[in-house]
Amino acid sequence: MISFRPVLEEDLSLLAGWLEGPHWRKWWGDPATELRYIEDMVQGRDTTRPYIFQKDGSDKGFIQVWFIKDQQNTDYAAEYPWLALLPEEAVGVDLSIGLQEDLSAGLGTDALRAFVRMLLEEGYSRILIDPDPANERAVGCYRKAGFEVIPELVGKTGDSLLMEFKNTEGMS
């Protein structure tokens, strides 16, 4: 069973360890910088909501939801101008499996499906994810979880492949 708990200050050391893992370092930025971003979220300086996802009560990874409208007029938008092409009511999600040994076991797909279900129950209807298109493992996971490439944005988003949740099959 997948569950979510908000990231707390005391989780930052766990996240620091995960951020050092090779599968994180390949797709995320500098671990210290990324940890500061998460700390900003925890301390309320960023509206992004970070969570630890658990399977059967054991911490297994990180997942967050960020709000498109909150990012569209920021320095971040200067680096990612495609944010202006997105509907402001949409939310974005990101996730990563904590330990490399847990990769390729369906955990990411299960966590993402459960997280999307939670967001839909909260009233969000436009849910996006933006993997690096070279991250084939992530793209495959997201497709299995019901996300589809947004065709009109292909080639307009640099190193991000914009995908939107569309498929509710398997969401029970």
Side-chain angles (χ1 to χ4, degrees):
M1 174 168 162
I2 301 292
S3 59
F4 305 96
R5 62 178 185 78
V7 173
L8 303 172
E9 292 273 348
E10 53 264 28
D11 295 315
L12 294 175
S13 61
L14 170 68
L15 288 163
W18 285 350
L19 282 159
E20 291 292 340
H23 65 291
W24 284 68
R25 290 185 71 100
K26 184 171 183 174
W27 304 110
W28 288 66
D30 170 67
T33 301
E34 295 295 331
L35 191 62
R36 279 193 303 275
Y37 292 149
I38 297 168
E39 188 174 13
D40 284 346
M41 296 170 205
V42 171
Q43 294 178 354
R45 291 186 297 269
D46 183 319
T47 60
T48 301
R49 292 178 8 210
Y51 296 88
I52 300 289
F53 68 85
Q54 300 177 310
K55 181 174 183 181
D56 300 325
S58 177
D59 295 342
K60 290 295 184 177
F62 176 79
I63 195 163
Q64 65 185 14
V65 58
W66 53 280
F67 304 90
I68 303 297
K69 69 178 171 33
D70 292 348
Q71 300 297 330
Q72 288 178 322
N73 295 308
T74 64
D75 292 340
Y76 191 71
E79 188 176 344
Y80 299 98
W82 49 262
L83 283 166
L85 304 174
L86 302 177
E88 70 174 27
E89 74 275 7
V91 295
V93 296
D94 301 291
L95 85 148
S96 194
I97 305 296
L99 299 175
Q100 191 160 342
E101 64 202 39
D102 288 329
L103 295 174
S104 299
L107 182 59
T109 301
D110 291 345
L112 189 53
R113 282 181 181 150
F115 199 65
V116 164
R117 188 170 33 256
M118 182 181 86
L119 293 173
L120 291 170
E121 288 170 2
E122 289 179 6
Y124 298 102
S125 60
R126 305 283 309 266
I127 303 169
L128 310 175
I129 199 159
D130 62 339
D132 185 312
N135 189 344
E136 294 175 11
R137 181 192 320 261
V139 172
C141 166
Y142 305 158
R143 286 184 197 279
K144 287 179 194 171
F147 285 79
E148 298 175 11
V149 172
I150 303 173
E152 62 270 19
L153 295 180
V154 171
K156 298 178 183 176
T157 56
D159 65 352
S160 297
L161 178 67
L162 269 288
M163 302 174 78
E164 184 170 4
F165 178 76
K166 296 284 188 184
N167 187 349
T168 58
E169 291 179 27
M171 290 300 295
S172 58

